[in-house]
Amino acid sequence: MKSVIGLEVHVELKTKSKMFCGCPADYFGKKPNTHTCPVCLGLPGALPVPNKTAIQWCVMLGLALNCKIPLTSKFDRKNYFYPDLPKGYQISQYDEPFCLKGSLKLDNGKVIKIRRVHMEEDTGKLIHATVGNEDVSLIDLNRSGVPLVEIVTEPDFDNSKDVKEYLQKLQQIVRYLAISDADMEKGDMRLEPNISISKDGSLPSYKVEVKNINSFRFAEKAIDYEIKRQLEILKNNETPIQETRGWDEKKQKTVSQRTKEEASDYRYFPEPDIPPIRWTQKQLEGFRKQIPELPHFKVQKYENELKIKVSDAIRVSENIEVAQFFEKTVKIGSKHNVSPQSVANFLLNKGVNTSNITPAELIKTIISTSTYATIDNSKIKKAVEKVLRENPKALNDLRVGKTQTLQFLIGKTMAEIKEKIDTKIIIEEINRQTK
Amino acid sequence: MNYSAYSIHKLREGLKKKDFPSEDIVKDCLDRIKISKLNAFITICETEAIKKAKEADKKIKDGVDLPLLGIPISAKDIYLTRNIRTTAASRVLNRYIPQYSATVIERLEKAGAIIIGKTNCDAWAHGSSGENSDYGPTENPYLKGYVPGGSSSGSAVSVAANMCLVSMGTDTGGSIRLPASFCNVVGLKPTYGRVSRYGVISMASSLDSIGHFTKNVDDSALVLSITAGKDKNDATTPEIEVDNYKNYLTKDIKEVKIGLPREYFSDGLDKRVKEKIENEVKILEAKGARIEQISLPNTEYGITCYYIVQPAEVSSNLARYDGLRYGNDRAHFGNEAKRRIMLGSYVLSSGYYDAYYKKAMQVRTLIKKDFDEAFKKVDVIIAPVSPTLPWKIGEKTQDPLSMYLSDIYTVNVNLAGIPGLSVPIGLIEGLPVGLQILGPHFSEGKLFQVGKAIERPKI
């Protein structure tokens, strides 16, 4: 028995305007139906004009995920009726997506294959409410036409931990590229796992799609729950039905939403309002150059070239602003004999706010905190003697193993000496005298 | 005085010389529309048009010179016109008032044109006779009880019956050229993408061409020089410079190579129509043109290909008319629209896509290639527009297939995306006949040049 999990992730791009019209793409918290025009309202006669930046970002994400970029691509219409879809079809990509056959490597070395990365548009939002005494469904079309990128993996996952790591890595890449905030709670990033269980390693005859997952934690829980649920069904020699289920956080379980007995027929065909897109190698090279150094390269570089601990390298490169700040600081530090590891230590442990300080200032701070006054050993010896003498209770506590007293004694000694010295030296002296 | 019997050129001269005001022209047209029983209009913009005419007269007095200043025009009722009801001749949009105007309408208004009303047509531009309108059929002004051709029926009639000087129509499979031919007016179907489709209700997006009816070739060239060109709101309009069409109007046709495709002159063509076209060809030859017999071998597959691609796109384009945000609900769709929605949904459904839609797209490529090959040998092609003369109202309404076949000579031009100009060549038993001149992509200038050589000076 082996779990087989594939992921479809939608990422909403933070372009200024929508995918096919000039309306602002930012809809969060805006007054309903104010960011709309004939195109995203699906009025008669309106035509889509594709957003070049959105397409470029989609291709850049594909490149960052090691995808191949076909030189020709096109949009297609996905036809279906739903009240939040004003045109009666969604402009998406069917058989010629922008990006194909990529991959993402997890920390344990496992490679998740990416089937495709394509571009499409978001739908409007339905709000079910009661107005007066009437139950009504309201439509807000501010989100209609906001650019969406869909990233589809092969069914390469077999556990929820890997899924979570993949999502975190994907989110990190998207943020590095600065193409989306990829905030799951806000719906910038949406996840739909397909889960099934294989008895013999081959691809099962069914799959269960889980929706309504809006955090990494929910993803983990929903997948674990679903695996357990399906295993129980299989234990009874039955096959789980192919369906769409939703994660119910209150009940801590997945609930059936829609059974997919017959596959829906979207009547895809090439979008006639948008000419096919053709790239030159030169254009693709240009896109490649705009991709910043990605987190996994940074980790490698920090570990191998800067000789810092892997765990610190991962933390420093978590977000691109900190990583870039770190690199600048290291560069300045190298002229002042400050090691990359001490920059990392300082950045990670002292809660440095990188937007309030420049790399040069940080180096100054590091230097000042690490330069200690050189003091005569006898002076330290006298100070420790005095402190131990005046604090017999603390001394006693220390002797019976209450190590927290040590900090107190160090503080007292420092106050006695009235100069900043390396605590290590004080500790050594205390140890010597209390032996 | 019947001002509107003149051409735009003549009227603009008179307006500039202050021989008569725009207000008189507009009122003359409005009177004609109101007394007419041809049912050419769905909506008449009387008050607004007179107001605009007065404004135009004031501008003329102030010395403003615009190519269409003070000229009354009409538009097929699938052009969106801000604050003017736009129905697509369907009850679905019976009370629909658009919030914006089509790009072409804006360009024409900017050039000084006055919209006098919205013309009748087959609902959603589905038809070849005008009879599919939910607002009743339009009648041919030449013979009572006969169809004017469709789908831009009211547009052709509005120009033919002197109700305006220009009417904007759309041509997806012949919907401008056919009614132009049936109503004795000049009809232009430009190259696909030459004129913006933005704000024109889509029928079949990959085939829809935005063109117009005029009284003569000169006016047709003038109007295209205003409507043509890149529109940032239509991704299918390329950045190709608009020709100076005026330059072609004074060129003779010496050494112009004209191809006659044998597939268009076969048994299906009415002998009288054939003779008339052959006569015209002889005249052109006498004027110095070189005539060549050519072949477009895939012609016969055109109508089948067209009736797969077109309904497929129609079925998707009509999906937005769900009655949720505007318009009436789907029960208001007429039979022809329903027929095309079903046909289109069928050919796109999984399991049938490869057999129908995909194959049709391959055939479409072959049809395009036929034309590409032909235009390596000749400059333009001359062909009949319709295999028959206009028919009686009601004659084909019970037989959709025979109605579809009336487009047999026009649809391939749309599949290939090339331009076509329908020019009148006289009457047979009181009914008008036209021929079409076809050229390579963006060769409209050449079509006007040959069209001028065919046109008899009427006005």
Side-chain angles (χ1 to χ4, degrees):
Chain A
M1 296 280 191
K2 188 188 164 210
S3 316
V4 180
I5 306 162
L7 298 184
E8 287 171 23
V9 179
H10 283 93
V11 173
E12 221 170 45
L13 300 183
K14 55 174 181 186
T15 47
K16 272 206 193 82
S17 55
K18 291 188 181 180
M19 189 58 220
F20 298 111
C21 60
C23 290
D26 168 30
Y27 62 86
F28 197 81
K30 297 289 181 294
K31 193 175 173 234
N33 298 307
T34 50
H35 288 184
T36 55
C37 74
V39 177
C40 55
L41 289 174
L43 294 190
L47 299 172
V49 176
N51 182 331
K52 283 189 186 127
T53 307
I55 294 177
Q56 184 182 330
W57 287 3
C58 176
V59 171
M60 278 167 60
L61 178 59
L63 288 168
L65 294 170
N66 306 308
C67 288
K68 296 188 171 60
I69 312 297
L71 290 180
T72 62
S73 189
K74 66 175 169 68
F75 284 100
D76 297 279
R77 288 191 188 175
K78 180 179 180 179
N79 295 285
Y80 68 94
F81 172 78
Y82 206 70
D84 65 9
L85 189 69
K87 297 190 295 298
Y89 56 84
Q90 180 193 33
I91 304 178
S92 180
Q93 295 193 287
Y94 184 52
D95 53 350
E96 294 181 35
F98 285 123
C99 326
L100 284 164
K101 288 184 183 162
S103 62
L104 198 151
K105 199 171 167 184
L106 303 182
D107 289 342
N108 61 14
K110 189 170 177 187
V111 174
I112 303 301
K113 293 191 288 298
I114 289 163
R115 185 180 294 169
R116 55 188 281 155
V117 178
H118 76 248
M119 185 88 246
E120 58 187 33
E121 56 176 335
D122 212 341
T123 60
K125 228 186 215 167
L126 284 180
I127 300 145
H128 305 288
T130 311
V131 175
N133 285 325
E134 221 183 333
D135 288 338
V136 291
S137 294
L138 305 167
I139 313 177
D140 176 8
L141 292 168
N142 282 350
R143 199 180 67 181
S144 162
V146 168
L148 271 187
V149 169
E150 183 173 338
I151 304 111
V152 185
T153 72
E154 296 293 343
D156 285 353
F157 297 95
D158 57 17
N159 67 76
S160 64
K161 288 258 171 326
D162 285 357
V163 168
K164 192 179 167 194
E165 190 191 329
Y166 167 89
L167 290 173
Q168 284 167 334
K169 288 204 149 56
L170 181 63
Q171 183 187 52
Q172 197 184 19
I173 291 173
V174 164
R175 288 179 177 171
Y176 256 66
L177 294 173
I179 60 177
S180 171
D181 293 334
D183 186 338
M184 281 194 82
E185 274 88 20
K186 277 189 178 173
D188 301 337
M189 185 166 160
R190 292 167 230 160
L191 163 71
E192 281 153 27
N194 283 296
I195 304 154
S196 51
I197 290 169
S198 168
K199 288 180 181 171
D200 53 2
S202 66
L203 214 57
S205 60
Y206 73 95
K207 60 183 178 185
V208 175
E209 185 176 306
V210 183
K211 288 186 186 273
N212 214 13
I213 295 174
N214 45 25
S215 78
F216 293 154
R217 212 164 42 85
F218 289 5
E220 225 178 342
K221 285 198 280 185
I223 290 169
D224 287 341
Y225 175 86
E226 194 51 34
I227 291 170
K228 215 177 91 199
R229 187 187 72 86
Q230 292 180 22
L231 275 174
E232 263 161 41
I233 296 171
L234 287 161
K235 258 186 224 154
N236 297 332
N237 270 329
E238 287 170 52
T239 308
I241 52 166
Q242 173 135 340
E243 61 180 338
T244 301
R245 300 177 70 88
W247 173 249
D248 188 327
E249 176 61 14
K250 268 187 213 145
K251 295 183 186 152
Q252 293 286 306
K253 60 187 207 173
T254 64
V255 187
S256 180
Q257 285 185 335
R258 182 158 53 99
T259 53
K260 271 190 183 169
E261 272 148 358
E262 71 268 21
S264 27
D265 188 347
Y266 292 119
R267 290 175 284 121
Y268 278 104
F269 74 102
E271 167 56 272
D273 290 328
I274 303 171
I277 289 101
R278 294 188 171 82
W279 303 119
T280 60
Q281 289 295 355
K282 210 179 148 197
Q283 280 173 307
L284 295 180
E285 254 337 285
F287 295 159
R288 204 183 289 277
K289 278 185 193 139
Q290 289 180 52
I291 297 175
E293 189 175 47
L294 294 170
H296 55 282
F297 287 117
K298 288 203 186 292
V299 171
Q300 263 178 18
K301 191 173 79 176
Y302 297 167
E303 191 194 351
N304 298 336
E305 293 172 24
L306 304 181
K307 309 287 178 207
I308 71 169
K309 282 190 282 180
V310 191
S311 55
D312 289 345
I314 291 171
R315 282 179 66 199
V316 167
S317 54
E318 220 157 70
N319 89 52
I320 193 164
E321 285 81 21
V322 174
Q324 284 169 348
F325 185 91
F326 170 71
E327 287 171 19
K328 278 182 204 152
T329 314
V330 165
K331 210 171 166 191
I332 299 168
S334 69
K335 292 172 202 152
H336 297 88
N337 246 340
V338 177
S339 74
Q341 183 65 58
S342 37
V343 175
N345 289 346
F346 214 88
L347 260 182
L348 297 172
N349 305 329
K350 305 273 157 126
V352 176
N353 185 348
T354 53
S355 51
N356 287 342
I357 190 168
T358 66
E361 283 165 1
L362 184 64
I363 287 296
K364 263 188 215 160
T365 317
I366 293 173
I367 292 169
S368 70
T369 48
S370 56
T371 342
Y372 302 117
T374 22
I375 293 166
D376 199 320
N377 268 345
S378 62
K379 199 175 174 189
I380 299 170
K381 202 180 158 196
K382 273 182 194 161
V384 171
E385 276 171 7
K386 189 173 177 235
V387 168
L388 292 178
R389 196 170 53 241
E390 285 173 3
N391 297 283
K393 191 182 174 295
L395 178 62
N396 203 40
D397 284 350
L398 189 69
R399 285 203 164 120
V400 297
K402 287 188 182 167
T403 45
Q404 57 269 49
T405 344
L406 187 60
Q407 275 306 324
F408 169 77
L409 293 171
I410 293 168
K412 283 278 171 195
T413 313
M414 288 262 209
E416 194 63 36
I417 296 166
K418 292 190 182 86
E419 274 190 86
K420 197 172 65 183
I421 64 166
D422 194 344
T423 49
K424 267 189 229 156
I425 302 169
I426 303 176
I427 294 167
E428 274 167 22
E429 187 56 36
I430 293 174
N431 283 341
R432 197 175 300 130
Q433 295 194 25
T434 55
K435 228 183 260 171
Chain B
M1 185 180 161
N2 183 0
Y3 296 105
S4 48
Y6 290 111
S7 67
I8 299 173
H9 283 86
K10 282 260 172 67
L11 285 181
R12 281 291 302 148
E13 265 172 43
L15 284 169
K16 272 196 257 183
K17 280 195 271 172
K18 302 187 184 65
D19 291 345
F20 42 79
S22 165
E23 193 181 344
D24 282 6
I25 306 172
V26 168
K27 280 183 171 162
D28 177 55
C29 289
L30 286 168
D31 288 346
R32 224 172 291 277
I33 295 166
K34 281 190 277 182
I35 58 162
S36 163
K37 293 196 170 69
L38 298 172
N39 196 25
F41 282 80
I42 291 175
T43 302
I44 306 165
C45 315
E46 186 169 8
T47 325
E48 192 62 15
I50 292 173
K51 196 180 137 214
K52 288 260 172 71
K54 285 177 179 164
E55 284 166 18
D57 286 329
K58 193 176 170 295
K59 280 183 188 162
I60 292 166
K61 222 173 123 188
D62 293 344
V64 177
D65 188 12
L66 293 166
L68 296 179
L69 188 55
I71 302 294
I73 68 164
S74 66
K76 189 177 184 175
D77 211 17
I78 65 172
Y79 281 72
L80 263 66
T81 41
R82 203 164 80 89
N83 296 334
I84 303 171
R85 180 173 78 140
T86 300
T87 67
S90 166
R91 293 285 172 202
V92 173
L93 294 181
N94 190 29
R95 288 187 307 266
Y96 182 64
I97 312 284
Q99 283 88 41
Y100 75 106
S101 284
T103 298
V104 164
I105 296 293
E106 281 184 351
R107 287 186 182 176
L108 289 165
E109 286 187 324
K110 211 178 147 209
I114 296 165
I115 293 169
I116 197 161
K118 305 293 293 293
T119 56
N120 201 358
C121 57
D122 288 294
W124 309 104
H126 299 165
S128 310
S129 68
E131 292 164 288
N132 285 334
S133 170
D134 287 352
Y135 298 83
T138 305
E139 213 170 332
N140 193 305
Y142 280 81
L143 207 56
K144 201 174 155 48
Y146 280 76
V147 300
S151 64
S152 313
S153 47
S155 287
V157 172
S158 71
V159 173
N162 297 326
M163 295 163 174
C164 58
L165 274 295
V166 181
S167 188
M168 295 308 301
T170 58
D171 191 316
T172 305
S175 285
I176 287 174
R177 287 162 290 151
L178 189 80
S181 159
F182 281 12
C183 292
N184 210 31
V185 292
V186 173
L188 173 72
K189 175 232 173 279
T191 306
Y192 180 81
R194 178 72 298 179
V195 181
S196 166
R197 292 181 292 120
Y198 187 73
V200 181
I201 292 175
S202 294
M203 179 191 163
S205 314
S206 77
L207 301 160
D208 291 345
S209 290
I210 306 307
H212 48 265
F213 299 87
T214 52
K215 291 167 192 295
N216 61 28
V217 175
D218 284 13
D219 286 0
S220 192
L222 172 69
V223 173
L224 185 64
S225 68
I226 293 160
T227 58
K230 172 81 190 163
D231 175 13
K232 63 171 176 40
N233 289 324
D234 180 354
T236 60
T237 54
E239 299 266 11
I240 292 175
E241 210 185 317
V242 178
D243 247 341
N244 189 345
Y245 301 119
K246 215 174 159 187
N247 290 348
Y248 291 88
L249 298 170
T250 48
K251 282 187 187 170
D252 61 36
I253 57 155
K254 276 195 190 91
E255 298 304 311
V256 171
K257 280 182 262 174
I258 297 171
L260 302 177
R262 74 173 66 93
E263 292 80 4
Y264 283 71
F265 292 90
S266 58
D267 292 345
L269 177 61
D270 185 309
K271 284 203 168 58
R272 298 163 296 175
V273 176
K274 192 179 174 195
E275 257 170 47
K276 252 194 152 21
I277 296 174
E278 283 167 350
N279 255 340
E280 291 301 323
V281 170
K282 273 180 206 153
I283 298 170
L284 292 174
E285 202 167 14
K287 287 183 177 175
R290 279 165 45 192
I291 311 298
E292 267 181 55
Q293 300 293 325
I294 58 161
S295 172
L296 298 165
N298 292 295
T299 300
E300 60 172 313
Y301 305 113
I303 202 96
T304 324
C305 173
Y306 176 80
Y307 271 98
I308 290 169
V309 175
Q310 176 258 102
E313 293 182 14
V314 164
S315 71
S316 175
N317 282 337
L318 290 183
R320 68 182 62 189
Y321 303 101
D322 53 21
L324 285 178
R325 285 146 293 127
Y326 51 83
N328 297 316
D329 67 57
R330 290 169 169 174
H332 293 76
F333 275 114
N335 284 339
E336 186 57 28
K338 286 180 185 164
R339 186 155 33 235
R340 294 186 191 204
I341 292 169
M342 285 192 285
L343 196 58
S345 302
Y346 178 77
V347 300
L348 288 176
S349 55
S350 69
Y352 296 100
Y353 182 88
D354 285 355
Y356 295 108
Y357 189 82
K358 203 173 165 193
K359 191 143 259 161
M361 292 308 268
Q362 289 162 347
V363 172
R364 188 173 182 177
T365 307
L366 292 178
I367 288 168
K368 267 185 209 160
K369 267 195 190 142
D370 275 4
F371 281 109
D372 289 346
E373 287 304 314
F375 290 126
K376 282 179 190 163
K377 291 181 223 143
V378 296
D379 299 315
V380 294
I381 288 171
I382 281 181
V385 177
S386 161
T388 65
L389 293 172
W391 55 89
K392 281 189 184 133
I393 289 175
E395 202 179 311
K396 295 186 183 182
T397 42
Q398 294 312 306
D399 184 1
L401 200 57
S402 84
M403 189 75 91
Y404 292 172
L405 285 171
S406 59
D407 294 335
I408 196 155
Y409 297 144
T410 47
V411 294
N412 289 13
V413 172
N414 298 78
L415 289 169
I418 59 170
L421 183 72
S422 176
V423 183
I425 52 171
L427 305 179
I428 296 171
E429 291 173 8
L431 287 165
V433 189
L435 60 70
Q436 56 177 339
I437 310 158
L438 315 174
H441 291 103
F442 303 101
S443 67
E444 284 83 356
K446 202 88 192 166
L447 305 191
F448 294 136
Q449 182 186 344
V450 178
K452 274 288 266 190
I454 292 169
E455 177 175 60
R456 307 283 171 278
K458 276 187 296 189
I459 38 176

